[in-house]
Amino acid sequence: MTKKNCMESFTASELNRDIQRLRRFAKVMETQWRLPFTSIRFGLDFVVGLVPVVGDLLTGMISLWLVQQSVRYHLPKSIYVRMVFNILIDVAFGSVPVVGDIFDLTFKANKRNLQLLIDHLETEKREEDS
């Protein structure tokens, strides 16, 4: 059995379109708005996370969408584990009242997960080109 290449069934334009869609998702979830007079950015993850426990569980479930979208690329299981772990960290620490809200401003699970996907796809592309 041969190892399946993550990108073998995607054109460059399909891949770019998918990555842009995932970037928009991560932006809405984590950096859509800026606190006035600061450089602190936040998104729906922070806003919904202000509702104790339930808000963080909800945003954690929403964050799984990015992981589900990544399944199309046949990533190694280790990357999926890291993605889910990032979400679990976000939910667990984000659920702590007050401190968790501050944590949500700094730990951007969706941006981290998107970067894991992009890094892997870039590595695949480099290996494919060489």
Side-chain angles (χ1 to χ4, degrees), residues 9-130:
S9 59
F10 297 97
T11 66
S13 65
E14 288 172 324
L15 184 62
N16 287 334
R17 184 194 69 231
D18 287 352
I19 295 300
Q20 289 308 314
R21 183 170 40 92
L22 295 173
R23 281 183 205 266
R24 284 190 304 271
F25 170 77
K27 179 180 179 180
V28 167
M29 289 299 290
E30 297 177 332
T31 59
Q32 182 70 41
W33 303 287
R34 185 178 54 83
L35 284 174
F37 312 109
T38 73
S39 61
I40 299 171
R41 301 203 62 88
F42 65 97
L44 288 179
D45 183 51
F46 173 75
V47 174
V48 176
L50 291 172
V51 177
V53 182
V54 174
D56 290 294
L57 288 173
L58 179 62
T59 59
M61 289 189 305
I62 292 169
S63 293
L64 287 172
W65 179 81
L66 192 147
V67 178
Q68 185 269 330
Q69 293 297 299
S70 299
V71 169
R72 304 176 53 188
Y73 298 103
H74 308 285
L75 305 176
K77 288 180 184 174
S78 61
I79 293 179
Y80 296 121
V81 168
R82 289 174 63 190
M83 289 177 158
V84 171
F85 187 67
N86 284 337
I87 294 169
L88 289 173
I89 289 171
D90 191 36
V91 170
F93 287 99
S95 295
V96 177
V98 183
V99 174
D101 298 325
I102 295 167
F103 178 79
D104 274 340
L105 289 173
T106 59
F107 189 84
K108 312 282 190 200
N110 292 298
K111 289 186 85 62
R112 289 170 187 263
N113 288 345
L114 177 60
Q115 195 60 52
L116 286 171
L117 172 63
I118 291 170
D119 289 348
H120 183 76
L121 293 177
E122 287 175 351
T123 300
E124 284 261 327
K125 177 85 170 110
R126 279 193 305 274
E127 289 172 1
E128 189 178 272
D129 290 344
S130 45

